[in-house]
Amino acid sequence: GKDLHITLASGPWWKKEKNRIQLPIPEPDFRIDFEDSIQKITQGKSTSWYVRIKQQKEIKQYVNEIMGMIGGPENPEPERRFHISLANLTGNPGDSVK
């Protein structure tokens, strides 16, 4: 349970700036629901199982609001599909498909 999370941003800008940010991130003001089916993805030697969040539009707006608060780029990853990873082949969260 402690490793379950939704990655809101990643990439070069985030890696460079994430340690500088001291701002508490506000809770979303919308409900988060998940799609009914568990998806599987494989890239190279990595395989992960995940569920997608239904409110893709709302969470993109939420990320854009947070980025505006911290001086980040608007819509930092337009292709990102927000999800929660449930499992991978090793059990190490860092080994999930990225």
Side-chain angles (χ1 to χ4, degrees), residues 2-93:
K2 68 179 179 59
D3 292 325
L4 287 179
H5 65 278
I6 301 168
T7 300
L8 300 177
S10 65
W13 182 87
W14 183 251
K15 285 182 182 182
K16 180 179 148 199
E17 299 292 330
K18 68 181 177 183
N19 293 327
R20 173 187 69 79
I21 298 164
Q22 301 282 324
L23 181 70
I25 295 174
E27 293 287 327
D29 62 358
F30 56 92
R31 179 182 164 120
I32 296 177
D33 297 306
F34 304 98
E35 292 182 353
D36 293 331
S37 62
I38 295 173
Q39 303 293 317
K40 177 182 173 183
I41 185 170
T42 300
Q43 285 182 345
K45 295 181 181 181
S46 298
T47 298
S48 298
W49 291 263
Y50 65 95
V51 290
R52 283 184 49 170
I53 294 170
K54 288 182 178 180
Q55 293 81 5
Q56 294 291 312
K57 180 179 176 183
E58 291 88 346
I59 203 162
K60 281 181 186 275
Q61 291 172 339
Y62 173 69
V63 169
N64 285 339
E65 289 172 18
I66 292 169
M67 287 295 166
M69 293 169 60
I70 63 175
E74 184 176 334
N75 200 14
E77 297 174 278
E79 301 301 318
R80 176 175 285 283
R81 299 298 172 253
F82 297 96
H83 65 280
I84 290 185
S85 296
L86 300 173
N88 62 37
L89 295 175
T90 67
N92 179 347

